[in-house]
Every structure is written in structure tokens, then in C-alpha cells.
Amino acid sequence: MLAYYASDPARTAGRRIAEPPSPSRTEYQRDRDRIVHSTAFRRLVYKTQVFINHEGDLFRTRLTHSLEVAQLGRSIARALGLNEDLVEAVALAHDLGHTPFGHAGQDALNECMKDHGGFEHNLQSLRVVDRLEQRYPAFDGLNLCLETREGILKRCSAAVAAGLQAVEPGGVARRFLAGQQPSLEAQLVNLVDEIAYNAHDIDDGVRSGLVGIEQLAAVPLFARHFNTALADHPQLDALPRRWLAETLRRMLSDQVHDVIAATRAQLELHAPASADAVRLMPALVRFSEPMRAQSTQLKRFLFTSLYRHEQVVRTTQRAREVVQRLFAAYTNAPGQMPAEHASEFERRGLRTVADYIAGMTDRFAAREYGRLVGKPAFLSD
Ligand code: MG
């Protein structure tokens, strides 16, 4: 049952190119299905966030991350009466624009493109679903509904919003220019993205040996659940893997329940009369204040202990160089790209190179580096 403040697929603002309705699926189900069948979605399996793909088979990839975001999002959506299909569509598409090698790749491409419009992964995710996927006879992209597209475009600068508005008046950039919120479903994906990566980065950080349990004991959100898990199950003392898994499960449940309760309180307080009314209000999907503070502490911990760990920094620095060398190689010799990109280069210049590199998986980028530069991209290759 959908709440009256949920996004209703029967009242979608629609697709850029009108299509006849599906006999069996709602518009948001169709969007979700189009995303699952896209090429960019399949590539997420070989793209990483913190750890490079070759560093181990146990770590999260962008695909498993996106599935975890969809799972958390759907659980909360169901409890709040929001549209699960829209949540799932946005969750599965939210990282489609990520480059190989996580944020290092994005930073490198942004640097390469700084005099040509820059590079930003949220905007790239939108470009993927709007233009870069080529699967339909009559249009570029996946021709998704406005609600799905605006959920994917999580952030956007004023300059970029003005540019988008010029080509699509009243479209996906409107809310940024009007200072409005997206749908509750989009707000939810934004928040559960953070919940998901905080939890799995702890897991991957510990598995990789870069983060120690004793360090995590100083992070209240982790420590509380770590201690109560042991109190409830003393045998965990001898089972470190299970102890960590149980701690993370409890942390996730705690945050999920917190979001449900805090958001319900906001919905009661602001009493939006419709899905449209939500857009004029402050962001209603949120943590309680105490949980927000604990989540911020956890993020800070991960930043200093994992993302800034010297081993991670060394790999990401190398990844940045790999992307920059690839960019230079293709720019100097566009014929090194497949024929369709090489011919596109004549019309669209450097953006073609950025799109081509952004679409690569970690291992394809590493292989291309080997081919073009004649040296292994990473020492372990
Ligand atoms: Mg994400």
C-alpha cells in the first residue's frame, strides 16, 4: 500500500520520449528493469569503491554495494509506505557513472577535464541513463522517468543545473534551481547509500587487515553493538568473523529503525498532503539527531583510518596516474579507442575520452594501460 506522500507511477512526470504503457508493469518497475539490463550495470561488478578490483575477491564492488543500497532502501520504503520500485531503480542506478578505481578515477578525470566542463560522477550517472546506453532503436539512453532521473542526479552545481535546464526546461535540474527536495524515495536512497558504505567499509577494512577491531572500539556506534553482541552471545569471543558480522547486522538494524522512526516523526510534523508537497519541505528522510552524530563519528573514523590509510593512498595515487596516462594516450591517438568512440571524438572531443574511460572496469583500464604504456598498471598485475 502506497502512502499518499509516496511517488505514484501512475502520476509520473513522464519520459522525455513518450512510450505506450506496459501491459504488466508500472513505469518505475520498467525503469528498474531497464537499469538491470543495461551494460553499465553489468560493469559495476568489476568496479570498486575503496579497494581496487584485483586486491581481493571478498571486497565489495559497486555492484554488491548497489544491491545492498537497494535492499536497505526497499526495507525502509516498505515500512514507510514509499514506492519500493522507484527506490530500487534509483539505488541500482546511483553509481552507474562511477569511473574505474573509485574516487581516484573520478578525481583524475575531473582534473583532465577541468577546462572542458569537468567530470562529476552523479552527472555521469545521469549521462549513462540519458545518453550513453545504446540499446533502443528510437533513442539514446534508457528514456527513464523524470523521478528516477532526478533521484540519480543527487547533487549538481548551479552552473551545471543551468546548463541542464537550458536543454530540458522544467526537467531534471528544476529542483536545484528552485531549491526544492527530490521525492522521498530519492531522499531515502541518498541516506541508505551512506548507511551501506559505512557498514561494508568497516567489514572490508577489517578483512583487509587495514583496520583493527581495537581501533573500532573507539567508535561509539560500533562499540555499542560489538559489546551487546558479546553479552548476548559469549561464544562470539572465540569467533571473530561471526562477532563482526553480528555487530554489523545490529548496526544496520539500529540505523534502519532509527531512519524509520525519525522520518515518521518528520512526516507527522510536516504532514505533506501529497508527493508534490514533499518537494517544498525540508528533507524529511533522516536520522535522529543522536544517530546523525554517531554516523558522522563513524564516517570520520573511516576517513582517517581507512580512506587515508597509507596503503589505500598509495594505490589510489597510482590509480590516478593510470587514468591520467590513459586520458593522454587516447587524446593523442583517438584511433586507439574502438571505432565508434574514435569517430565520436571528431565531433565531441575530450568528452568522448572521458565517457570512454569512465565506462571502463578496473581490470579493463589496467589492461588498456598495459597495452598503451607497455608497463603493468599495478605491481601485482
Ligand atoms: Mg553509492
Side-chain angles (χ1 to χ4, degrees), residues 199-265:
H200 63 55
D201 287 352
I202 292 178
D203 198 18
D204 289 351
V206 172
R207 277 171 186 275
S208 67
L210 299 186
V211 172
I213 292 287
E214 62 296 338
Q215 288 173 280
L216 280 159
V219 182
L221 182 59
F222 181 89
R224 189 169 70 249
H225 296 295
F226 191 65
N227 294 332
T228 55
L230 183 67
D232 293 344
H233 304 282
Q235 72 275 25
L236 289 177
D237 200 18
L239 301 165
R241 274 271 163 84
R242 291 192 197 205
W243 193 359
L244 178 62
E246 179 61 16
T247 305
L248 292 173
R249 176 167 28 250
R250 287 170 183 232
M251 262 179 59
L252 284 175
S253 298
D254 190 10
Q255 292 173 91
V256 163
H257 297 144
D258 184 88
V259 171
I260 292 169
T263 304
R264 274 202 184 121

Side-chain angles (χ1 to χ4, degrees), residues 49 62 65-66 69 94-95 98 154 193-194 197:
Q49 318 222 93
R62 289 213 180 265
H65 163 72
S66 300
V69 172
H94 86 283
D95 272 353
H98 268 289
K154 192 161 65 176
D193 184 19
E194 180 186 329
Y197 66 65

Side-chain angles (χ1 to χ4, degrees), residues 30 80 85 108 164-165 181 242 244 275 296 315 341 365 371:
R30 278 175 113 179
L80 293 173
D85 297 323
L164 290 169
Q165 176 79 358
Q181 301 297 330
R242 291 192 197 205
L244 178 62
T296 303
T315 322
H341 296 280
R371 183 178 74 82

Side-chain angles (χ1 to χ4, degrees), residues 67-89:
L67 294 173
E68 291 180 29
V69 172
Q71 180 275 315
L72 290 166
R74 288 191 66 140
S75 294
I76 297 174
R78 189 171 300 187
L80 293 173
L82 300 181
N83 191 297
E84 287 182 52
D85 297 323
L86 179 57
V87 165
E88 194 176 12

